[in-house]
Amino acid sequence: RPERLSPMDRLVIRFWHASALCQSGRSDEALTPFHRMEQEARAIVPADSALLTAIRLGKADAMLESGQAARALAIYRAVWQSFPEHSDPWWHAFVGSLRCHARLQADPAEILQSIRQQRYLAPDLGGGRWERELTRLEQDLQVRIATRPTP
């Protein structure tokens, strides 16, 4: 019974639905729900709430996967700059921003340098998901460097 759920509970359920759309390769369909959730969340939760942050990062993930890397980068940067270094939202935004730079054809060597710098500062690279994503990105960038044409 939806009427028994609080507005916050409904937001959480909608967040998981939009996240599932992204994870199933339907990021375009998740953009509108993420945008609406962000607007609604701003009215009922503090600006620094975990839910609003998760919604913003989910929206950025959906944008990135939908070919809107430049717009996603702005969201990742804002989150990255507003959280303590090496916190989970910080890692999510850091990885997302590097993926955006890679999609926007930034110099792969510069992106690799950012990964190496973080590996020096935090050898586990955030652990779990973030370490796997950074390792995968690092491998992709090394291939890009190795196969790019020489002038």
Side-chain angles (χ1 to χ4, degrees):
R1 296 179 139 188
E3 65 275 3
R4 287 187 169 177
L5 298 173
S6 71
M8 182 76 129
D9 290 339
R10 287 193 294 273
L11 270 175
V12 169
I13 291 167
R14 289 172 45 216
F15 169 77
W16 287 111
H17 179 257
S19 296
L21 287 172
C22 286
Q23 291 173 3
S24 66
R26 296 165 54 190
S27 296
D28 289 339
E29 292 176 53
L31 286 172
T32 299
F34 273 125
H35 179 71
R36 287 183 182 150
M37 281 185 285
E38 183 179 15
Q39 299 308 313
E40 291 174 31
R42 288 183 187 280
I44 63 172
V45 299
D48 63 348
S49 76
L51 179 59
L52 182 56
T53 300
I55 290 168
R56 292 178 69 211
L57 288 168
K59 180 180 174 182
D61 292 343
M63 288 175 159
L64 177 59
E65 295 307 317
S66 297
Q68 299 176 43
R71 291 181 65 205
L73 182 57
I75 296 170
Y76 288 130
R77 277 186 182 153
V79 171
W80 184 48
Q81 293 170 353
S82 64
F83 277 86
E85 191 170 5
H86 301 144
S87 64
D88 195 61
W90 185 94
W91 281 111
H92 189 152
F94 176 72
V95 171
S97 67
L98 293 182
R99 290 179 62 220
C100 287
H101 285 296
R103 294 260 176 99
L104 294 168
Q105 301 302 311
D107 182 356
E110 289 181 20
I111 301 168
L112 285 170
Q113 180 60 34
S114 293
I115 296 170
R116 288 183 190 120
Q117 180 180 12
Q118 284 308 316
R119 180 174 281 118
Y120 177 78
L121 297 171
D124 72 342
L125 293 175
R129 173 184 177 190
W130 310 124
E131 183 177 23
R132 284 189 303 277
E133 288 199 31
L134 285 168
T135 299
R136 187 177 319 119
L137 178 59
E138 190 173 34
Q139 292 166 347
D140 292 346
L141 292 167
Q142 289 168 342
V143 167
R144 189 186 301 176
I145 288 172
T147 59
R148 70 178 163 192
T150 54

